[in-house]
Amino acid sequence: MALNESIQLGELPKTMKAIVLEKPNEQMQLSTAELALPQCDENEVLVKIEYVGLNPLDAQFAKAGFCKWQYPHTIGLDAVGIVVQANKGLFPSIGDRIMWHSSLAQQGVLSEYAKVPNYSVSVIPDGVPSSTAATLPCAGMSALIALNKIQISEGDTIFIEAGAGAVGQFAIQFAKQRGADVFTTASKHNHKLVKKLGADAVFDYHDKKLCENIRATLGPQGFDAVIDSIGGETTVRNIELMRFCGRIACLKTLPVLAPELMFRKAPNISIVSLGGAWLANSLCAQQHMSFMSKLLLENVADGKIIPPEQFIVDFNDVCISRALEKQISGNFTGKQIVKLQ
């Protein structure tokens, strides 16, 4: 899939099509714009985008905006594409197919071309389709960070909220790789899916007796660890389900936690912030994103991890706006992928 390595800047177009947010709005209405081609710094590569994976964050920020953005802003965080410009000796090279999760503070990747620091990307193995790779970055890396923060190891009991969501699917599989006993929640029609991924026990999150049923299955000791992707009162409930000094990784902002609960459970609370690697200007954390991407790609290539089901979205503002509505509603299982090429 490599391009001709003789591609030079002069052979590239001067402008490109991009999907932009003119201003935050409840309807998540987007526009199509013609923008100048990005100009790369010394350690950046220019990429011709093939696919962009959509995430709940994209919908959240289309509604509310983000403090670092100037408008109009190109949205999109997860990208797959082919390097078309790179300084001599820089890795990856022209023609390489790469995957990455981009900076939340910079312009997004829903455009025909995008630039990215070379040290934050991973080259995609030949056996992994570009559309599959686009399902991996945000959800897969968030799951890995969460598991690392709560130090999952063999014999641990872990409770993973929303197991049929993209983060949940990756977390279940990687937790099983580490030898954990996995408990999760999902709608009844997704129980078969999460069991296939390795969940040992699955509970219907609509069940009014959810906590009672979990305790009846788990026993009185409580979970060693929790991955909480829901937030709010669910976080409070999950801390109640943990053992004393249990570990919880939260993907959402913490709610107000009662002092009595904190004293009684003494939880070890971690916050998962994939975008923080960019917002904190942490070169080490940005390089670590490349390592995690490589791990995800290798596991998919080797058949050790099953990626979420893909739903292809056309590269136009109306279709992408509708897709973002689905991200908010949560009434689907899998990953929506925008196809540009």
Side-chain angles (χ1 to χ4, degrees), residues 21 23-25 57-71 73-75 77 102-107 273-276 278-280:
L21 181 69
K23 61 179 180 180
N25 63 94
L57 272 179
D58 297 312
Q60 175 185 326
F61 290 129
K63 276 181 174 285
F66 185 66
C67 59
K68 299 287 187 180
W69 289 0
Q70 293 182 338
Y71 300 96
H73 178 82
T74 305
I75 65 169
L77 294 168
S102 64
S103 171
L104 183 59
Q106 304 297 322
Q107 291 295 326
S273 173
L274 189 56
W278 299 103
L279 297 174

Side-chain angles (χ1 to χ4, degrees), residues 25-63:
N25 63 94
E26 280 293 320
Q27 295 73 36
M28 294 177 285
Q29 184 176 351
L30 305 170
S31 302
T32 301
E34 194 77 16
L35 303 178
L37 209 67
Q39 301 297 307
C40 295
D41 293 333
E42 185 177 354
N43 65 344
E44 293 177 324
V45 296
L46 185 66
V47 184
K48 187 174 178 62
I49 303 295
E50 293 184 299
Y51 290 91
V52 171
L54 297 180
N55 298 294
L57 272 179
D58 297 312
Q60 175 185 326
F61 290 129
K63 276 181 174 285

